[in-house]
Amino acid sequence: MLLSGNWIAVCAFLVWGLLPLYFQYIPNSNVFEILAIRVLFSIPFIYLLLKLVSIPSQIVWQAMRSKRTLLLCFLAGLFNCVSLYSFTWAVTNGQVLAASLGYFINPIFSIILGVIFLKDRLSKNQKAAVALSLAGIGYQVMYYGELPWLSLIMGGAFALYGLIKKFVNLDALSIMLIELITMLPIALFILFGEVWQGSSVWQSGDTTTMWLYLLSAPITLIPLLLFSLAVERTSLVMIGFIQYIEPSLQFLLAVIVFGEVLLQVKVVSFGLIWLGLLLCLADMTMKKPTLPPSTAG
């Protein structure tokens, strides 16, 4: 049970939900440099994991000969970077509630994409949860009179990331390694550009900040790895609902730890979304876990 895709997803989103506690120590950080460092230092880490679990590295090199696989992994990596940039900027600039809303919106995108492209079917509880979630978000939009663009970009990009991974017939680690390799030229361009301008964290002389930047790589990679494993083992619809754990934690951190103002409109909106989450969790616990689909390699 604990190794099912659903529960792996629960672990991933618990870790993601607590990430603002880490990023509070690097406020107003250079988000591009953080993401570039993450790509650079994650490649050897994922490669070592491949060796540890006895996945032949030849699988990766053979897969990279396929233009289709390279394109899909590049797109997945690009959408993940867009989502991570939005999230990291939000939590390092005092916008944890915006990050929370972004990941409340994301499951709706995931569910819609799963139904349209993967022919996933919704149970009665899941349909009710979608309706409650849309009502909660719609209430915020009506109250403020504008779309929450940062949250929409964050949630939409991550939903597309999860969808694209469904079309790559490889194990999760191999996919992640190819994603990172395709992002490497962009990461190196950013890092060299920061050094050229003299604004790199390596040139600041601040050892603490440098280590916080470096450690952000494994801290953000671990939940992403768990998420990738979950995508292999459960439906995009189910992942969409489980993801509500992450923004719920971020919501609580924003209000209790970071002291962001909680207006009545947000209480109503988030309350409707949480009710949908409870219906989803009830659905998940009542159903027996399904066997994971077979993957190449």
Side-chain angles (χ1 to χ4, degrees):
M1 181 68 170
L2 290 176
L3 295 178
S4 72
N6 290 339
W7 290 105
I8 292 174
V10 167
C11 293
F13 294 123
L14 281 173
V15 176
W16 257 319
L18 296 172
L19 280 181
L21 291 174
Y22 180 84
F23 283 106
Q24 68 174 315
Y25 294 108
I26 41 177
N28 303 310
S29 56
N30 185 331
V31 181
F32 281 116
E33 189 169 15
I34 287 178
L35 294 181
I37 289 172
R38 175 190 168 275
V39 169
L40 186 63
F41 286 91
S42 294
I43 290 175
F45 180 75
I46 294 295
Y47 184 78
L48 287 175
L49 281 179
L50 281 173
K51 294 296 185 182
L52 287 174
V53 297
S54 300
I55 297 176
S57 57
Q58 288 86 348
I59 291 176
V60 175
W61 314 133
Q62 289 173 3
M64 290 182 66
R65 295 175 184 173
S66 166
K67 292 181 180 179
R68 178 181 181 274
T69 299
L70 273 179
L71 177 61
L72 288 174
C73 287
F74 172 77
L75 290 174
L78 195 61
F79 281 123
N80 184 42
C81 284
V82 170
S83 180
L84 275 174
Y85 179 90
S86 304
F87 168 77
T88 308
W89 186 92
V91 299
T92 57
N93 286 271
Q95 299 291 324
V96 179
L97 276 178
S100 175
L101 179 60
Y103 287 125
F104 270 125
I105 293 173
N106 169 258
I108 295 174
F109 283 116
S110 294
I111 291 161
I112 293 171
L113 292 174
V115 171
I116 294 173
F117 293 100
L118 305 176
K119 309 303 179 184
D120 289 336
R121 294 185 179 182
L122 302 181
S123 68
K124 290 182 179 179
N125 276 0
Q126 290 171 339
K127 290 178 181 178
V130 170
L132 287 167
S133 300
L134 288 172
I137 293 169
Y139 183 69
Q140 278 205 48
V141 172
M142 288 176 59
Y143 183 88
Y144 290 113
E146 61 181 8
L147 291 171
W149 288 110
L150 176 64
S151 302
L152 287 171
I153 291 170
M154 186 188 310
F158 196 71
L160 287 167
Y161 172 70
L163 175 67
I164 291 171
K165 291 173 76 71
K166 281 288 189 181
F167 291 97
V168 184
N169 193 26
L170 284 171
D171 61 274
L173 285 175
S174 297
I175 295 173
M176 287 191 68
L177 182 57
I178 298 174
E179 285 176 31
L180 292 165
I181 291 172
T182 60
M183 290 294 104
L184 185 58
I186 299 175
L188 291 174
F189 177 80
I190 291 171
L191 290 174
F192 282 126
E194 294 296 332
V195 171
W196 181 265
Q197 295 175 11
S199 57
S200 172
V201 68
W202 310 102
Q203 299 164 298
S204 67
D206 187 343
T207 305
T208 300
T209 302
M210 183 181 70
W211 276 107
L212 287 169
Y213 273 50
L214 286 173
L215 290 175
S216 67
I219 285 174
T220 56
L221 187 64
I222 289 169
L224 188 62
L225 176 60
L226 292 172
F227 172 79
S228 299
L229 293 171
V231 168
E232 284 186 335
R233 293 165 168 79
T234 191
S235 71
L236 207 60
V237 167
M238 208 65 220
I239 285 177
F241 283 115
I242 296 170
Q243 187 176 344
Y244 281 133
I245 293 170
E246 175 192 354
S248 297
L249 282 174
Q250 291 170 357
F251 174 88
L252 294 173
L253 289 175
V255 175
I256 298 172
V257 178
F258 303 117
E260 291 192 38
V261 178
L262 179 60
L263 301 175
Q264 183 180 359
V265 60
K266 293 183 178 178
V267 174
V268 174
S269 176
F270 281 61
L272 289 169
I273 294 169
W274 281 330
L275 183 56
L277 172 60
L278 290 176
L279 290 175
C280 167
L281 291 177
D283 214 41
M284 185 178 75
T285 54
M286 287 188 295
K287 288 183 178 181
K288 295 181 179 179
T290 56
L291 294 175
S294 60
T295 56

